[in-house]
Amino acid sequence: MENIFLNTRVNGKNPFENITYAMFKVILEEEFSLKAGRTWLVKVLNGVGYKTPAKHRAAKEAVHPYRPRKAHEGELMQADGTSFDWFKDGKIHCIQGFVDDATGYPYLYMTRNECLLGYVEAFRNMAADKGIPKAIYPDKASVFFVNNRKDDGERHLTQFGVMMENMGVDMFPAHSPQAKGRIERFWQTVKRRLPNIFVLRGIDTAEKANEFLSGEFPRLWQKWFPAKPASGESFFVRADMGEVSKVLRATFPGKVDRVGIARKSPSHKGGLAARDSLRTPPGKGGARAF
């Protein structure tokens, strides 16, 4: 184990730089087929002068108690993005996407900066895998909401807002990071684990990262942090991906200003009827009607 920790290099990089004890233990088991007890592992790493970068806070009563998970998968998807030096090369990229409140299952996509494309592609991956969720819970970022509203009698939606309304997905904002505590804690853990995996796997571009994030990573996350929903009923609606793709690349009726804000009249109707219209036809994926 000591030799692996000190001498492993991938493309000249040390994959164990700033690694946590927990993540090194995972890598030993999954990549090197070596079982190691935590106490022994910590002793060995401390013996070569290494200390975990993870900070351990003193136990105290939580200021923001954990909110119980939603009972059904697909009932609520927390949405967020975070920028970081994911490849340990000094270049910042943003990973954005959705985490299922009931299971913690992630749907992620990497871009250079946080943007509409990242959330659209993460949503596309989610729709192809599970279906269309009931609701999305993001922050007040301009991708999701028009923050400078005009009192002109019209409903103002961003491009992403139009897409969600046309698919019948409810979307309402969190008013603080604490309100989205589950996905905030998710990012803290991902930042401690994903860069080491990227180096170990030779993943050094957004294209390679997105292949991993949409393929192997969600299943790894589920293996590391298994969580079963309280209910066996899913709130995801299986969808015809041809129809979903049409919505995700739609041109918007009415006026669209220079920053991509669409204006729709108060008479526009979306909601469950729109979501239901995208269902997979009977016999093609087990769609659930509303």
Side-chain angles (χ1 to χ4, degrees):
M1 182 173 68
E2 181 178 329
N3 181 58
I4 291 173
F5 180 78
L6 293 175
N7 299 317
T8 300
R9 295 293 182 272
V10 178
N11 297 327
K13 290 184 178 180
N14 176 7
F16 307 132
E17 181 182 1
N18 294 325
I19 198 167
T20 64
Y21 298 141
M23 190 57 197
F24 187 58
K25 184 176 184 295
V26 167
I27 288 177
L28 283 178
E29 294 175 357
E30 296 183 352
E31 304 292 335
F32 296 93
S33 299
L34 292 176
K35 296 283 187 178
R38 178 180 171 82
T39 301
W40 179 59
L41 181 148
V42 171
K43 182 178 180 180
V44 170
L45 296 190
N46 288 172
V48 297
Y50 186 80
K51 302 286 186 181
T52 182
K55 296 179 180 179
H56 299 280
R57 287 179 285 185
K60 59 181 180 181
E61 184 178 353
V63 177
H64 301 283
Y66 287 4
R67 173 180 54 76
R69 292 180 180 272
K70 293 297 184 182
H72 307 82
E73 66 172 355
E75 184 175 356
L76 182 71
M77 304 298 297
Q78 294 199 23
D80 197 20
T82 189
S83 296
F84 193 64
D85 181 8
W86 297 104
F87 302 126
K88 297 190 174 186
D89 60 0
K91 297 177 181 178
I92 303 299
H93 289 76
C94 182
I95 295 179
Q96 56 240 278
F98 309 94
V99 172
D100 195 313
D101 191 81
T103 65
Y105 198 87
Y107 295 95
L108 308 175
Y109 194 86
M110 177 183 284
T111 55
R112 197 59 185 269
N113 303 294
E114 187 173 9
C115 61
L116 174 64
L117 173 65
Y119 289 104
V120 166
E121 292 307 313
F123 188 94
R124 190 192 311 276
N125 291 339
M126 173 172 55
D129 182 42
K130 290 282 189 176
I132 300 173
K134 179 182 178 182
I136 289 175
Y137 188 42
D139 56 21
K140 296 180 180 179
S142 59
V143 169
F144 304 109
F145 299 102
V146 179
N147 294 312
N148 296 316
R149 298 181 181 179
K150 296 179 179 179
D151 188 13
D152 55 9
E154 294 184 333
R155 297 181 63 238
H156 294 258
L157 300 173
T158 64
Q159 292 186 34
F160 190 80
V162 172
M163 293 173 185
M164 294 302 100
E165 179 153 308
N166 285 341
M167 285 190 278
V169 178
D170 293 333
M171 190 166 67
F172 48 93
H175 296 283
S176 69
Q178 291 82 8
K180 297 193 292 98
R182 187 155 288 120
I183 199 168
E184 295 292 335
R185 292 188 292 274
F186 169 83
W187 289 130
Q188 291 174 10
T189 303
V190 168
K191 285 178 180 178
R192 293 188 188 124
R193 295 192 172 210
L194 209 48
N196 299 107
I197 295 178
F198 281 168
V199 173
L200 193 64
R201 302 287 183 90
I203 297 172
D204 55 7
T205 67
E207 290 75 18
K208 293 178 182 178
N210 284 326
E211 184 177 350
F212 176 74
L213 291 173
S214 64
E216 185 179 359
F217 179 69
R219 292 184 287 276
L220 281 176
W221 185 267
Q222 195 172 44
K223 179 182 177 181
W224 297 339
F225 305 104
K228 290 185 177 181
S231 172
E233 179 188 12
S234 173
F235 275 20
F236 281 110
V237 171
R238 284 289 182 183
D240 183 319
M241 285 307 297
E243 295 301 314
V244 169
S245 292
K246 287 179 183 178
V247 174
L248 294 181
R249 65 170 180 261
T251 56
F252 307 113
K255 298 178 181 179
V256 179
D257 67 21
R258 287 180 294 177
V259 294
I261 304 300
R263 293 192 296 169
K264 307 185 84 170
S265 67
S267 63
H268 175 79
K269 296 184 183 294
L272 290 178
R275 190 165 175 243
D276 193 56
S277 70
L278 297 168
R279 291 183 299 130
T280 307
K284 295 185 179 181
R288 181 171 60 86
F290 277 79

